[in-house]
Structures are given as C-alpha cells and as structure tokens.
Amino acid sequence: MGWQTRRILETVGTATGGTQSINYNLEAIEALIITLQADVADGIRPPNATTGGTGPTTFTSTSYGTIATASTGRLGCQIFSEGPGILHVTLGTATTSTSLYTTRLASGDYLEVPSNYTGLIGGLFATAGTARVTELS
C-alpha cells in the first residue's frame, strides 16, 4: 500500500488548473480509495492504525523496572507521571539511573513514546511516585 499511496499523492500534487486537472485528481483519489478498501478487505491496516491496547497499568519502581517490554505489535506508548516523584525513562536499554536516562517526567508530565518505537522502555522513580502506562497496538 505504501508505494502506491505515495505515487498517487505525488501525482495528485503535480496536477494543476482546469477541468482536466480536476478529473485527473478525482481519478487518482478514486484509485487511492479502491486500493485502501482492498487493503482493509485483505486485513492490512493503514500505518499507525490502532485497534487496541493495554492499560493503563501502574509503574511505581524506585529501582530499575520495565515500563513496557519490547513488542513488534506496539504502535505507541503513553506515560503519565501522576505521583510526587521524578520518573526517569530510558528507551532501548535495561540501564537507567537518575543520571542516565532518555527523559524525565515530573508529576503531571506526559510522554508519548515516538510512534512505532517497539523496543524496551524502562525506568525508575528517584523517590516514590506513580505513573500510568498505556500501550497501543
């Protein structure tokens, strides 16, 4: 689906002016819709389409812990820090500390893990805290 969609959108973008261009654009859009309908019928979902998820789960560890395991089916992960502690989050490694982390979240902070990141997400609270974690799949 990807290359067909890009090709159609590229050609739609180059057509300009007049009735001929309008007809050309409509034909390209119709072809895109037919392609998408066929993909859906075949069970292929569009990029970043989410059909479910897990959560929210609670993360409270003051020593390193896994916030979300690596998962090829994950399309996204959202982390909301609601407790008083500072949450240190690390992507891609089982090593996290208060001085070695990807990002840190204070109470009320929200992290949306980069789209389609499927690797390990780990972290720890510097002091007691609570985070809500939701994974999208």
Side-chain angles (χ1 to χ4, degrees), residues 48 92 121:
N48 296 325
I121 303 170

Side-chain angles (χ1 to χ4, degrees), residues 59 61-67 90 93-97 120-124:
F59 180 81
S61 183
T62 54
S63 60
Y64 175 82
T66 299
I67 294 173
T90 304
T93 180
T95 304
T96 303
S97 70
L120 176 67
I121 303 170
L124 62 87

Side-chain angles (χ1 to χ4, degrees), residues 103-122:
T103 192
R104 61 185 221 151
L105 305 174
S107 181
D109 288 346
Y110 168 80
L111 171 65
E112 190 163 311
V113 176
S115 178
N116 290 329
Y117 173 74
T118 59
L120 176 67
I121 303 170

Side-chain angles (χ1 to χ4, degrees), residues 73-106:
R74 182 175 58 230
L75 295 176
C77 183
Q78 302 164 345
I79 304 169
F80 176 73
S81 181
E82 65 181 13
I86 302 290
L87 174 60
H88 297 80
V89 179
T90 304
L91 303 180
T93 180
T95 304
T96 303
S97 70
T98 57
S99 59
L100 177 64
Y101 54 87
T102 303
T103 192
R104 61 185 221 151
L105 305 174

Side-chain angles (χ1 to χ4, degrees), residues 37-50:
Q37 287 172 333
D39 287 345
V40 169
D42 290 340
I44 300 170
R45 61 184 185 190
N48 296 325
T50 182

